[in-house]
Amino acid sequence: MFGKKEEEETKEEEEVESDAEETADAEKKGGAVCSMKAGDYMVHVYVEQAKNLKVEADSVVDPIVEISCLNERKFTKALDDISSVSPAVWNEHLFFEPKNVPKEQLERGKIEIKLMDKGFFKDALIGYYEFDLNYIYLMENHALMHKWIVMSNPESEDFGEVTGYLKISITIAGAGDEQVPIEEDPNPTEEEFIQPPQIQPEFYQLKVRFY
């Protein structure tokens, strides 16, 4: 009787130890079980390119990307005369190095991405997207690599309308984390999209008749 109970307790202890070892291994590999801790961080944002921007017919925009992270803003260069059918290519690296960030601030922290039309007096918003810091940090290797984000304009009447696509990569490294380098996309023809919940996909059916 007691021998069976001792065997069950031993088995439970072994399962707990096994789970702890798996968690530790995942943390070492940069797995998705780690949580952000107070301290210094390096946030690396690679702004790659944009396409299919919402631009009026026979018109162009001068797009620029603004990235905000933990009360700091950085900008790409502004491009000139981009139409709805021409791609906007930046391939620019932006770095944020916040110091001594409290855990509570990290848990609420976001990476805000604005795609704007550069103006003389005021920039006009084309598209917006945001990520929670924890969302990126909980990814494998704390990195989001070469993804297209589907952007919309919260200032427009139709918030659910797609106003452009932006290809971006983001890595986050804290104390003790290995900084994952962002290299050129090895599969540029493969496109993976991240879509916000307010945008509803539309499906079309194409019928072709042969005579």
Side-chain angles (χ1 to χ4, degrees):
M1 179 102 178
F2 290 104
K4 183 177 181 180
K5 184 177 181 181
E6 290 175 356
E7 287 179 3
E8 291 177 350
E9 291 177 350
T10 302
K11 185 177 180 181
E12 289 177 358
E13 291 176 358
E14 289 176 350
E15 289 177 350
V16 170
E17 290 177 358
S18 177
D19 291 341
E21 289 175 359
E22 289 178 0
T23 299
D25 290 341
E27 289 179 349
K28 290 178 182 178
K29 295 177 181 178
V33 295
C34 305
S35 61
M36 301 186 78
K37 301 176 182 178
D40 300 343
Y41 280 83
M42 167 72 82
V43 180
H44 178 188
V45 180
Y46 180 41
V47 182
E48 302 181 46
Q49 59 178 298
K51 66 178 182 179
N52 301 129
L53 303 185
K54 184 184 178 184
V55 180
E56 298 295 332
D58 301 323
S59 183
V60 294
V61 294
D62 301 327
I64 185 172
V65 179
E66 173 191 322
I67 308 293
S68 299
C69 179
L70 297 174
N71 302 319
E72 186 178 4
R73 290 190 302 168
K74 292 183 181 291
F75 299 84
T76 65
K77 64 183 178 183
L79 303 179
D80 297 325
D81 301 333
I82 301 298
S83 70
S84 60
V85 295
S86 55
V89 181
W90 286 279
N91 290 330
E92 289 191 41
H93 297 266
L94 304 177
F95 296 90
F96 299 82
E97 300 182 61
K99 305 293 184 183
N100 301 316
V101 188
K103 182 178 176 63
E104 295 77 15
Q105 187 177 358
L106 292 168
E107 291 174 346
R108 299 191 304 269
K110 297 181 181 297
I111 299 174
E112 295 182 289
I113 305 164
K114 292 181 180 180
L115 177 60
M116 299 176 294
D117 179 15
K118 184 69 175 176
F120 288 106
F121 302 104
K122 183 179 180 181
D123 299 339
L125 183 65
I126 298 174
Y128 177 87
Y129 203 98
E130 67 177 32
F131 290 104
D132 291 337
L133 286 175
N134 264 317
Y135 174 79
I136 304 295
Y137 194 76
L138 294 179
M139 290 184 167
E140 183 178 0
N141 296 320
H142 316 307
L144 178 146
M145 291 294 190
H146 311 299
K147 299 295 189 295
W148 288 93
I149 54 177
V150 183
M151 309 194 82
S152 63
N153 186 351
E155 298 177 359
S156 69
E157 295 180 357
D158 186 1
F159 186 30
E161 180 185 13
V162 176
T163 56
Y165 300 86
L166 180 68
K167 190 176 185 180
I168 201 164
S169 297
I170 304 172
T171 66
I172 300 176
D177 294 330
E178 181 180 354
Q179 182 72 48
V180 178
I182 300 178
E183 301 173 346
E184 294 295 326
D185 190 353
N187 302 301
T189 58
E190 295 182 7
E191 298 182 342
E192 185 174 344
F193 295 86
I194 300 177
Q195 183 168 289
Q198 73 272 9
I199 295 180
Q200 300 298 322
E202 296 182 358
F203 300 95
Y204 299 90
Q205 185 176 21
L206 177 65
K207 294 183 179 180
V208 181
R209 292 183 179 181
F210 294 95
Y211 295 94

